[in-house]
């Protein structure tokens, strides 16, 4: 039976950053710079991997897919957040909110699945090196990436469907800066607590499952590394895993804060800042970690930069010479005679 105060919202309004009116200009500049660095860093990683043949291996194929998923994740949240900070357009349609929630969860889950796949790749490379080429074939790598995207899309759809099938009858002001599950559930007439519990258990189970699989992979890797007689071999194996381990720690560290934090109305402003760590800060760190701690990426980047610079220098030189012979030379020669 339909309640009298139940309404079908045409849209929502974000009020998350209204707790910090004097900091909005500073936050806009800070988040914009971090977003630009995130985009440039991930595009650079994809560009470098694409141009360098020696990086056309499963490890960097997965890294390129991870960078692409991170770009998509930030685009699902950050542009709308920035427009709310500077332009004051803090409203979003009902379908737009559902789409934002779906894509944010889709790309977030895909990111976790790809990190898990990368952990498995490191396990096979270090613990089963003789079988690596037969296990991690191009087809297998493509299937793993496709499964990660399909799994992320399915889980995102399930979460979004569970939330937006609820009736909304209270204020349509979202106490956040994007369509996140907890503040949306606060607007539901009934069933919000049940759906919130189910979605929370669902998300924690998926993230914890991925994290435990990564831990298991690295437990085998650590055991294998400790058996290596060569210190150089152990150092090389640790170096191959260092950037991935660092990103996993940052990713799951921030995710655990998001999903395990205590929700309370008094901590609403603090909750917004905490969620920024996962939506802005974690994607910002990821390409920096992979770029600075991965020697192959750094070497390939400088090699590509040098190649592009030389090509541009040759092109510019060619244009100058062509212009000289076409325009300047015919004018200078008659003057000399």
């Amino acid at each position: 039976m339909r309640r009298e105060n139940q309404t079908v919202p045409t849209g929502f309004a974000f009020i998350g950053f209204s707790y910090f009116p004097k900091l909005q200009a500073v936050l806009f500049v800070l988040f914009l710079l971090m977003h630009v660095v995130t985009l440039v860093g991930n595009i650079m990683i994809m560009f470098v991997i694409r141009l360098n043949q020696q990086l056309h291996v499963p490890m960097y194929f997965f890294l390129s897919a991870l960078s692409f998923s991170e770009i998509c994740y930030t685009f699902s949240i950050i542009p709308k957040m920035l427009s709310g900070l500077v332009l004051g357009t803090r409203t979003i349609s009902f379908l737009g909110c559902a789409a934002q929630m779906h894509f944010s969860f889709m790309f977030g889950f895909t990111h976790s699945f790809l990190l898990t796949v990368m952990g498995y790749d490191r396990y096979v490379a270090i613990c089963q090196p003789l079988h690596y080429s037969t296990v991690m074939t191009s087809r297998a790598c493509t299937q793993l990436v496709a499964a990660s995207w399909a799994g992320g899309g399915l889980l995102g759809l399930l979460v979004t469907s569970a939330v937006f099938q609820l009736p909304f009858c209270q204020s349509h002001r979202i106490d956040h800066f994007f369509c996140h599950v907890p503040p949306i559930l606060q607007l539901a007439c009934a069933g919000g607590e049940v759906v919130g519990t189910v979605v929370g258990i669902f998300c924690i189970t998926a993230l914890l499952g991925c994290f435990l699989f990564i831990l298991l992979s690295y437990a085998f890797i650590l055991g294998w590394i400790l058996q290596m007689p060569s210190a150089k071999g152990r150092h090389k194996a640790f170096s191959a895993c260092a950037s991935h381990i660092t990103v996993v720690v940052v990713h799951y560290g921030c995710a655990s804060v998001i999903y395990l934090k205590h929700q309370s109305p008094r901590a609403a402003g603090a909750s917004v800042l905490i969620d920024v760590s996962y939506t802005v800060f974690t994607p910002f760190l990821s390409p920096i970690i992979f770029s600075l701690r991965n020697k192959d990426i750094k070497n390939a980047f400088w090699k590509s930069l040098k190649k592009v610079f030389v090509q541009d220098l040759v092109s510019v030189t060619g244009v100058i010479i062509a212009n000289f012979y076409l325009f300047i030379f015919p004018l200078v020669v008659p003057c000399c005679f």
Side-chain angles (χ1 to χ4, degrees):
M1 184 175 179
R2 188 181 180 89
R3 299 188 179 186
E4 293 182 0
N5 60 346
Q6 177 179 329
T7 60
V8 178
T10 57
F12 298 97
F14 300 121
I15 61 171
F17 286 118
S18 61
Y19 296 100
F20 318 101
K22 297 181 179 180
L23 295 177
Q24 289 184 12
V26 176
L27 292 175
F28 171 78
V29 174
L30 178 62
F31 294 159
L32 177 62
L33 291 176
M34 294 177 71
H35 183 52
V36 170
V37 171
T38 300
L39 295 180
V40 172
N42 283 301
I43 292 173
M44 183 203 74
I45 289 174
M46 296 170 62
F47 178 76
V48 168
I49 292 174
R50 177 68 178 175
L51 287 184
N52 291 269
Q53 291 291 331
Q54 65 268 28
L55 299 183
H56 290 183
V57 294
M59 174 182 176
Y60 295 108
F61 175 71
F62 295 136
L63 178 56
S64 183
L66 186 75
S67 296
F68 183 69
S69 73
E70 206 153 61
I71 291 174
C72 295
Y73 176 76
T74 57
F75 264 121
S76 68
I77 297 175
I78 307 301
K80 188 65 178 177
M81 181 186 72
L82 292 175
S83 68
L85 280 171
V86 69
L87 299 177
T89 54
R90 297 171 185 169
T91 59
I92 189 170
S93 66
F94 182 82
L95 292 178
C97 188
Q100 186 183 60
M101 180 179 290
H102 168 69
F103 287 121
S104 63
F105 271 95
M106 173 185 174
F107 299 130
F109 279 123
T110 300
H111 195 83
S112 297
F113 293 150
L114 288 173
L115 286 175
T116 307
V117 169
M118 292 175 73
Y120 174 70
D121 172 72
R122 292 299 83 207
Y123 160 74
V124 177
I126 295 174
C127 300
Q128 300 180 13
L130 298 178
H131 301 285
Y132 184 75
S133 58
T134 57
V135 174
M136 304 304 293
T137 61
S138 298
R139 182 178 181 181
C141 293
T142 304
Q143 290 175 342
L144 287 171
V145 171
S148 298
W149 279 90
L154 178 61
L155 295 181
L157 183 62
L158 291 176
V159 171
T160 306
S161 300
V163 173
F164 280 89
Q165 55 83 30
L166 294 172
F168 296 95
C169 57
Q170 301 181 29
S171 169
H172 300 150
R173 291 156 61 90
I174 300 176
D175 194 9
H176 213 277
F177 58 87
F178 78 104
C179 292
H180 196 35
V181 171
I184 291 289
L185 293 179
Q186 292 176 3
L187 309 181
C189 294
E193 293 184 359
V194 176
V195 171
T197 301
V198 172
V199 169
I201 294 174
F202 189 70
C203 293
I204 291 174
T205 301
L207 291 173
L208 189 60
C210 292
F211 185 63
L212 291 177
F213 192 91
I214 294 173
L215 284 182
L216 183 63
S217 299
Y218 277 106
F220 285 111
I221 290 173
L222 181 61
W224 188 269
I225 290 176
L226 294 177
Q227 295 177 4
M228 291 182 177
S230 170
K232 184 178 180 180
R234 290 194 296 269
H235 176 73
K236 184 177 180 181
F238 275 120
S239 298
C241 303
S243 57
H244 179 252
I245 293 175
T246 307
V247 170
V248 167
V249 170
V250 173
H251 177 79
Y252 283 98
C254 293
S256 64
V257 172
I258 298 299
Y259 289 104
L260 300 179
K261 67 184 178 183
H262 177 67
Q263 300 289 338
S264 66
R266 293 182 182 179
S271 175
V272 169
L273 293 181
I274 290 173
D275 289 351
V276 165
S277 67
Y278 187 75
T279 56
V280 180
F281 191 64
T282 300
F284 167 75
L285 286 180
S286 184
I288 295 176
I289 293 171
F290 277 115
S291 299
L292 296 180
R293 296 190 62 88
N294 192 297
K295 190 177 294 185
D296 292 336
I297 291 289
K298 286 192 292 186
N299 293 338
F301 170 73
W302 290 115
K303 183 179 178 181
S304 300
L305 190 64
K306 182 179 178 181
K307 182 179 179 181
V308 171
F309 176 77
V310 171
Q311 289 177 346
D312 289 345
L313 182 62
V314 171
S315 300
V316 171
T317 305
V319 171
I320 293 174
I321 294 174
N323 288 333
F324 175 78
Y325 279 105
L326 288 174
F327 301 105
I328 300 176
F329 186 73
L331 298 175
V332 173
V333 170
C335 295
C336 296
F337 292 96

